[in-house]
Amino acid sequence: MSEKSGSVSAFRDELGEIYFYKGISKHWVMENYHYHSTCEIILVLTNGVTVEVNGSRFKTSYGDLLLFCSNEPHRVIAAENVDHNRYVLMFHPDVISKMSQALGHDCMKYFAPGATEGISRRINLSGQALVNLIAMLDRLDPYYSVRQDPAAHT
């Protein structure tokens, strides 16, 4: 469903409680902003991807971990003539709330609307931290992977 969000035209995605994608999109461009009721984490494995969120626009680097809260209009644009390699994990906010309770730490603050702005939602991982996260995401692959190109989603 198309909606107007401020001055940005956006469409709403409803993908369920957990959505996982691992792969490469060739010649990929997201034309419009979108949003969904899930929180979203994207691990970028390509240099030069542009992200637009909350009126901020920034370029990412290999190893950037991007955090988006639910219902937040955003879009991701791969560099021209570059394949967009990434992991995408989307989940209902209740997952973070339960994790916060289990850890005794307010993890939801990273996903709450207005809690952080634009570039502060980007964490650059390298070395063993990046290797560990990729290994963890690869373990999710057999359970949640979506094999088709989700160009309309993320």
Side-chain angles (χ1 to χ4, degrees), residues 29-47:
V29 176
M30 178 179 279
E31 296 292 331
N32 295 307
Y33 284 81
H34 74 284
Y35 63 102
H36 27 76
S37 61
T38 55
C39 296
E40 180 174 14
I41 295 174
I42 301 174
L43 177 59
V44 179
L45 298 175
T46 304
N47 285 317

Side-chain angles (χ1 to χ4, degrees), residues 3 7 39 87 113 127:
E3 296 183 21
S7 62
C39 296
Y87 288 84

Side-chain angles (χ1 to χ4, degrees), residues 9-11 13 25 27-36 40 42 50-52 68 73-79 84 86 88 90 150-154:
S9 179
F11 66 89
D13 280 341
S25 299
H27 314 294
W28 181 80
V29 176
M30 178 179 279
E31 296 292 331
N32 295 307
Y33 284 81
H34 74 284
Y35 63 102
H36 27 76
E40 180 174 14
I42 301 174
T50 300
V51 175
E52 294 179 357
F68 300 99
H74 60 281
R75 73 179 182 153
V76 180
I77 305 161
H84 181 34
R86 70 218 180 266
V88 177
M90 297 167 62
H153 299 298
T154 300

Side-chain angles (χ1 to χ4, degrees), residues 80-143:
E80 276 190 50
N81 302 315
V82 175
D83 295 340
H84 181 34
N85 188 5
R86 70 218 180 266
Y87 288 84
V88 177
L89 181 61
M90 297 167 62
F91 45 87
H92 193 276
D94 286 347
V95 172
I96 297 295
S97 296
K98 290 174 186 173
M99 187 169 63
S100 294
Q101 290 172 353
L103 296 173
H105 177 76
D106 181 16
C107 300
M108 197 61 199
K109 69 182 177 184
Y110 304 108
F111 295 96
T116 58
E117 294 297 325
I119 202 161
S120 63
R121 292 201 176 166
R122 177 178 55 178
I123 302 163
N124 186 264
L125 302 174
S126 61
Q128 197 58 47
L130 181 57
V131 169
N132 291 346
L133 181 57
I134 289 172
M136 182 190 77
L137 291 169
D138 281 340
R139 285 193 304 270
L140 291 175
D141 190 32
Y143 301 103

